[in-house]
Structure formats: structure tokens, C-alpha cells
Amino acid sequence: MRILLDECVPRPLKRELADHEICTVVEMGWSGKKNGELLRLMSQEGFTVLLTTDQNLRYQQNLQQAGVAVIVLVAPSNRLPDLVPLIPDVRNALNTVVQGKVMEVGGS
């Protein structure tokens, strides 16, 4: 499973998921890409999951057509201290996530 960290997610979060194949938008050279283009590039490069804090993505894009799954981190902010506590739930979500679907983690 290849995971892409969206631009809105702090890059150091990658360390928390080191047991997965994970890249950042910046590492891929995709900074500034619109969501639709980003999803297309992800699919072409074999990524299966987008990890993001963008709660509106599901309403803006046809995720079924994109063929990737999205895990949305719901926290008070997109700062690392707010996101790290969500990692155990992210790991669980990675085991059940389905292409073309959105799962939210956190926010409770």
C-alpha cells in the first residue's frame, strides 16, 4: 500500500507511519497541484491512500473515479501535536479503507 501525505499534513507525520511506503506531495514534486490533478497523479503512480486534513475533498472530487481511498484526519488543527494522537486510529483505518471511499479519523 502506497500512502501519500497531502500538503496540508505536516511532513514529520511521515515518521509515525514508517512501517508503510509513504511519500509526501512535496517529495513527489506535486506541490501546488489542485486536488483533481493530485488524485490523477496518485493513481498513475500507484498510490492507494491519500492522508489529508482537507475535510471538503469528498465534496469536491469524484473519488470513485479517482480510484484512491482518502483518510481525513479530523483534529483541532493540522499541527503535529494534534495529529500524532490519531496515528493508532489511522493504522486501523488503513486495514479497512476501500478505494473510492473516504474515512474520517478523530473528531470525537
Side-chain angles (χ1 to χ4, degrees), residues 5-11 13 25-26 35 38 50-55 57 71-73 77-80 83:
L5 282 188
D6 201 359
E7 274 185 289
C8 54
V9 177
R11 285 179 271 176
L13 194 68
V25 168
V26 173
N35 286 336
L38 183 63
L50 175 65
L51 199 57
T52 185
T53 58
D54 183 353
Q55 295 181 43
L57 183 68
I71 297 177
V72 179
L73 303 171
S77 78
N78 66 342
R79 293 178 47 243
L80 197 59
L83 298 178

Side-chain angles (χ1 to χ4, degrees), residues 13-59:
L13 194 68
K14 178 179 174 177
R15 291 189 299 256
E16 302 297 324
L17 295 165
D19 51 329
H20 291 278
E21 185 179 350
I22 187 162
C23 295
T24 68
V25 168
V26 173
E27 288 171 341
M28 295 302 296
W30 298 340
S31 297
K33 299 287 185 199
K34 300 280 187 206
N35 286 336
E37 185 177 4
L38 183 63
L39 292 171
R40 184 180 54 74
L41 289 167
M42 282 182 65
S43 183
Q44 288 174 352
E45 292 294 324
F47 286 97
T48 52
V49 178
L50 175 65
L51 199 57
T52 185
T53 58
D54 183 353
Q55 295 181 43
N56 294 316
L57 183 68
R58 74 173 79 210
Y59 308 111

